[in-house]
């Protein structure tokens, strides 16, 4: 059963995956709640995860809610001479819409979501810091269908000017590809009424075969008379 990860376990997943992706370099992950989008020091790169899935728990009224629009900001830097790298990370918070408190609450995430997010981070890191082909991003981090309309007035990322709840072009392309692949599967013919592997069609073909055998036997019998 999946369990929510703490900050230390966030780092554990990152270090384990970076050890595989770039074993010759030493990387660190730093949680920075003051990180600002597009405010980069020289040599730093940015990656913004806009559609992560997380669960929030209000520390005041104990209300919990799920969001498929959690925003995570990463700033990355690689020192090629020293073979060391640094990633600064900020998970944007949300306000509880039940009690209306002004206290921002942090999200917790399941292990499989964290691993997908770290995979995306490493893909961006390889592209921007190492100038390599990082491979495909794992777009389906957020659960679908969406849990509901995003309420920007309770979102810290929206209040700081990050417009993220509308699907990006890349997300829409992925959804279109996914829908096309689903329609191309043999099972998708069931809804059109032409599933040739249904019981009705099997009985039809079996009856036709028996009829052909009977006619052939009858023809041979009459030929000998």
């Amino acid at each position: 059963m999946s369990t929510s990860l703490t900050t230390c376990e966030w780092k554990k997943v990152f270090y384990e995956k970076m050890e595989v992706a770039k074993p010759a370099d030493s990387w660190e992950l730093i949680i920075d709640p003051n990180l600002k989008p597009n405010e980069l020091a020289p040599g730093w790169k940015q990656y913004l995860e806009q559609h992560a899935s997380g669960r929030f728990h209000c520390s005041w009224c104990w209300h919990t809610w799920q969001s498929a629009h959690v925003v995570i900001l990463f700033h990355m830097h690689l020192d090629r001479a020293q073979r060391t790298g640094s990633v600064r990370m900020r998970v944007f918070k949300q306000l509880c819409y039940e009690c209306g408190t002004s206290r921002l609450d942090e999200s917790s995430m399941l292990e499989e979501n964290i691993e997908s997010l770290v995979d995306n981070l490493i893909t961006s890191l390889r592209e921007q810091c190492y100038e390599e082909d990082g491979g495909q991003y794992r777009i389906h981090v957020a659960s679908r269908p969406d849990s509901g309309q995003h309420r920007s007035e309770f979102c810290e990322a929206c209040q700081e000017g990050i417009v993220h709840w509308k699907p990006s072009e890349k997300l829409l392309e992925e959804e279109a590809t996914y829908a096309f692949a689903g329609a191309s599967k043999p099972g998708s013919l069931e809804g059109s009424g032409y599933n040739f592997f249904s019981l009705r069609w099997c009985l039809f073909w079996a009856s036709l075969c028996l009829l052909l055998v009977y006619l052939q036997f009858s023809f041979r019998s009459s030929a000998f008379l």
Side-chain angles (χ1 to χ4, degrees), residues 11-67:
K11 294 183 178 181
K12 177 177 177 291
V13 173
F14 174 75
Y15 294 146
E16 288 178 350
K17 288 184 176 289
M18 283 305 300
E19 183 65 27
V20 175
K22 293 294 175 183
D25 296 340
S26 177
W27 282 83
E28 64 174 351
L29 177 65
I30 301 172
I31 309 298
D32 185 355
N34 299 315
L35 206 62
K36 298 293 184 182
N38 303 319
E39 294 184 7
L40 298 166
W44 285 75
K45 308 296 182 180
Q46 175 174 294
Y47 171 62
L48 185 67
E49 182 68 64
Q50 304 182 58
H51 300 285
S53 179
R55 177 171 292 276
F56 291 84
H57 178 86
C58 180
S59 57
W60 181 260
C61 71
W62 307 105
H63 173 65
T64 61
W65 68 96
Q66 185 80 17
S67 175

Side-chain angles (χ1 to χ4, degrees), residues 104-116:
L104 288 164
D105 294 294
E106 298 180 352
S107 65
S108 60
M109 297 181 182
L110 300 180
E111 183 172 358
E112 57 266 27
N113 290 342
I114 295 291
E115 292 185 354
S116 297

Side-chain angles (χ1 to χ4, degrees), residues 1-151:
M1 185 175 180
S2 300
T3 56
S4 298
L5 297 184
T6 64
T7 298
C8 292
E9 289 167 313
W10 257 97
K11 294 183 178 181
K12 177 177 177 291
V13 173
F14 174 75
Y15 294 146
E16 288 178 350
K17 288 184 176 289
M18 283 305 300
E19 183 65 27
V20 175
K22 293 294 175 183
D25 296 340
S26 177
W27 282 83
E28 64 174 351
L29 177 65
I30 301 172
I31 309 298
D32 185 355
N34 299 315
L35 206 62
K36 298 293 184 182
N38 303 319
E39 294 184 7
L40 298 166
W44 285 75
K45 308 296 182 180
Q46 175 174 294
Y47 171 62
L48 185 67
E49 182 68 64
Q50 304 182 58
H51 300 285
S53 179
R55 177 171 292 276
F56 291 84
H57 178 86
C58 180
S59 57
W60 181 260
C61 71
W62 307 105
H63 173 65
T64 61
W65 68 96
Q66 185 80 17
S67 175
H69 303 287
V70 181
V71 176
I72 307 176
L73 176 64
F74 300 97
H75 285 181
M76 309 167 291
H77 180 265
L78 171 64
D79 187 332
R80 292 182 178 271
Q82 299 294 327
R83 302 200 70 116
T84 59
S86 178
V87 175
R88 306 188 79 86
M89 166 187 167
R90 177 185 178 184
V91 181
F92 286 86
K93 303 175 183 180
Q94 293 186 12
L95 292 169
C96 177
Y97 55 85
E98 285 289 334
C99 65
T101 180
S102 59
R103 181 185 180 89
L104 288 164
D105 294 294
E106 298 180 352
S107 65
S108 60
M109 297 181 182
L110 300 180
E111 183 172 358
E112 57 266 27
N113 290 342
I114 295 291
E115 292 185 354
S116 297
L117 293 166
V118 172
D119 286 339
N120 282 354
L121 168 62
I122 293 176
T123 297
S124 179
L125 186 148
R126 293 180 63 178
E127 291 177 349
Q128 298 194 71
C129 296
Y130 290 95
E131 298 180 353
E132 299 176 350
D133 181 8
Q136 286 189 329
Y137 286 85
R138 300 180 65 175
I139 301 298
H140 297 283
V141 173
S143 59
R144 280 186 283 281
D146 196 357
S147 56
Q149 183 179 3
H150 182 61
R151 305 177 68 172

Side-chain angles (χ1 to χ4, degrees), residues 172-186 188:
L172 292 174
E173 290 176 1
E174 182 73 12
E175 291 288 1
T177 303
Y178 178 79
F180 177 78
S184 302
K185 294 180 181 179
S188 63

